[in-house]
């Protein structure tokens, strides 16, 4: 995988350094495996039914990805109504706002304001609201997965050691935050060095990597906590692709918390060069 591709895939990670109602219409989807095998959607959905967690990796500013997410969620719900949706787009302190909206106690504008969506996420609300509305209509839980942005930024500047007790409230215990594996570190080092034109120092990178891993560990912790409390639920997780590729970000950290858990990863509309990588994901779902 080229450095350019890595940078595109993990674009969201770079933010650490610089810190529908869209019309509904049918999309033609092509689904393949990393071995270039073409599959029909029903075959894939049947396979996904066996997974406790299904990750759907997006490019945040790609509207087609979000239409595909809703399509996948609808299909998964039809075969298993005991579905939950985990979303990177909402930060853990604002779970009560999601719960209020899903319970009918708040409007969509109240939800958007309460969760500080525009400030904390920044990508179009219209990309994500149809998914939340579908969850409300069908009484599906939506889980806020993300780390508070204040905490992520502080770790990027000062490292995990600089966090206060209050700042640790919405993250896993420090002992559970593991800066591994080495191949993940190496990929992110290329991004870091590219951003700094090769002039970044080791201390700066260590903090950057701690912030990225904190992001992954926090979301993995939220997923694992929900699944342990709701053993009858299957979860679909909507996150950026950089948190999923090769399983190094979130999936491996969920597996550490729930051994033997069955998980599957879908990348939406990935760059062409990823399609030849046999380890990067389980399925490629292309709609363009």
């Amino acid at each position: 995988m080229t450095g350019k591709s890595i940078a595109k895939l993990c674009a969201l990670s770079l933010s650490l350094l610089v810190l529908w109602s869209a019309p509904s219409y049918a999309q033609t989807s092509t689904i393949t495996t990393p071995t270039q095998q073409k599959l029909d959607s029903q075959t894939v959905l049947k396979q996904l039914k066996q997974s406790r967690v299904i990750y759907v990796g997006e490019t945040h500013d790609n509207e087609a990805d979000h239409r595909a997410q809703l399509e996948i969620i609808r299909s998964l719900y039809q075969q298993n109504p005991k579905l939950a949706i985990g979303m990177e787009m909402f930060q853990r302190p604002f779970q009560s706002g999601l719960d209020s909206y899903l319970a009918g106690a708040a409007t969509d504008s109240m939800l958007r304001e309460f969760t500080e969506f525009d400030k904390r996420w920044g990508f179009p609300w219209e990309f994500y609201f149809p998914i939340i509305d579908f969850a409300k209509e069908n009484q599906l839980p939506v889980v806020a997965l993300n780390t508070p942005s204040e905490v992520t930024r502080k770790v990027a500047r000062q490292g995990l050691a600089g966090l206060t007790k209050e700042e640790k409230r919405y993250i896993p215990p420090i002992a559970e935050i593991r800066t591994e594996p080495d191949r993940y570190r190496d990929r992110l080092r290329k991004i870091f060095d590219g951003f700094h034109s090769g002039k970044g120092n080791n201390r700066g990178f260590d903090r950057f990597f701690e912030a990225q891993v904190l992001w992954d560990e926090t979301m993995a912790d939220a997923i694992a906590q929900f699944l342990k409390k709701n053993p009858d639920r299957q979860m679909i997780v909507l996150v950026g692709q950089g948190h999923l590729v090769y399983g190094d970000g979130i999936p491996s950290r969920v597996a550490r918390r729930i051994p033997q858990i069955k998980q599957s990863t879908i990348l939406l509309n990935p760059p062409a060069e990823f399609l030849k990588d046999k380890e990067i994901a389980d399925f490629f779902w292309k709609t363009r």
Side-chain angles (χ1 to χ4, degrees):
M1 185 163 59
T2 66
K4 182 179 179 181
S5 300
I6 295 171
K8 180 177 180 181
L9 181 65
C10 299
L12 190 54
S13 299
L14 294 177
S15 64
L16 297 173
L17 300 167
V18 293
L19 314 285
W20 100 8
S21 301
S24 177
Y25 57 88
Q27 299 189 116
T28 301
S29 301
T30 303
I31 309 168
T32 60
T33 68
T35 60
Q36 303 300 301
Q37 179 185 9
K38 280 192 176 183
L39 301 172
D40 65 85
S41 61
Q42 290 307 308
T43 298
V44 174
L45 290 166
K46 185 176 180 180
Q47 293 184 35
L48 294 176
K49 189 175 183 179
Q50 308 306 314
S51 295
R52 187 82 194 281
V53 186
I54 300 160
Y55 300 98
V56 182
E58 67 176 55
T59 299
H60 302 313
D61 61 356
N62 186 347
E63 185 177 358
D65 285 10
H66 304 297
R67 291 197 299 267
Q69 286 171 335
L70 184 56
E71 175 189 345
I72 293 168
I73 290 169
R74 289 181 186 277
S75 298
L76 289 172
Y77 174 75
Q78 287 177 0
Q79 68 179 12
N80 179 17
K82 300 293 287 184
L83 189 66
I85 304 170
M87 299 186 70
E88 177 189 8
M89 304 79 206
F90 295 96
Q91 297 175 6
R92 291 177 74 170
F94 303 98
Q95 181 66 53
S96 61
L98 280 168
D99 294 342
S100 293
Y101 175 77
L102 296 172
T107 65
D108 58 316
S109 59
M110 292 168 65
L111 169 63
R112 186 174 180 177
E113 181 178 359
F114 179 84
T115 59
E116 301 178 13
F117 180 90
D118 297 291
K119 172 186 175 182
R120 293 176 177 273
W121 188 242
F123 294 96
W125 172 255
E126 292 77 16
F127 286 177
Y128 300 98
F129 179 68
I131 294 169
I132 303 164
D133 205 39
F134 179 83
K136 178 182 179 181
E137 180 182 349
N138 294 283
Q139 300 183 318
L140 304 181
V142 177
V143 183
L145 300 179
N146 215 338
T147 316
S149 52
E150 301 90 339
V151 175
T152 309
R153 285 195 297 266
K154 185 172 182 179
V155 172
R157 294 193 307 267
Q158 301 180 25
L160 290 166
L163 295 180
T164 66
K165 181 178 179 180
E166 179 61 24
E167 288 167 335
K168 295 175 183 177
R169 181 179 176 188
Y170 293 103
I171 67 172
I174 298 298
E176 295 181 12
I177 300 172
R178 301 185 186 178
T179 51
E180 56 185 35
D182 288 342
R183 67 177 186 178
Y184 192 30
R185 185 182 183 92
D186 292 343
R187 289 202 308 275
L188 291 179
R189 183 74 204 220
K190 291 179 181 178
I191 297 172
F192 182 84
D193 288 345
F195 187 86
H196 290 283
S197 302
K199 297 179 181 179
N201 59 55
N202 289 335
R203 186 177 182 185
F205 172 72
D206 287 343
R207 289 173 175 172
F208 167 69
F209 188 54
E210 282 188 0
Q212 176 68 25
V213 168
L214 172 63
W215 215 340
D216 296 325
E217 292 280 12
T218 298
M219 290 193 277
D221 182 65
I223 293 165
Q225 284 192 32
F226 178 86
L227 293 177
K228 289 176 180 178
K229 292 177 182 177
N230 300 273
D232 60 335
R233 291 276 181 182
Q234 181 184 48
M235 179 178 275
I236 182 167
V237 175
L238 310 181
V239 294
Q241 295 182 8
H243 294 291
L244 302 178
V245 294
Y246 303 103
D248 294 334
I250 299 172
S252 65
R253 301 169 202 278
V254 171
R256 197 180 74 229
R257 291 170 168 85
I258 309 178
Q260 283 80 55
I261 190 170
K262 173 66 174 174
Q263 305 182 92
S264 295
T265 298
I266 301 169
L267 299 185
L268 299 172
N269 298 309
E273 53 265 44
F274 296 159
L275 304 180
K276 299 178 182 180
D277 196 319
K278 296 182 180 180
E279 297 182 5
I280 201 167
D282 297 303
F283 303 101
F284 303 124
W285 193 292
K286 294 172 285 182
T287 59
R288 60 185 180 193

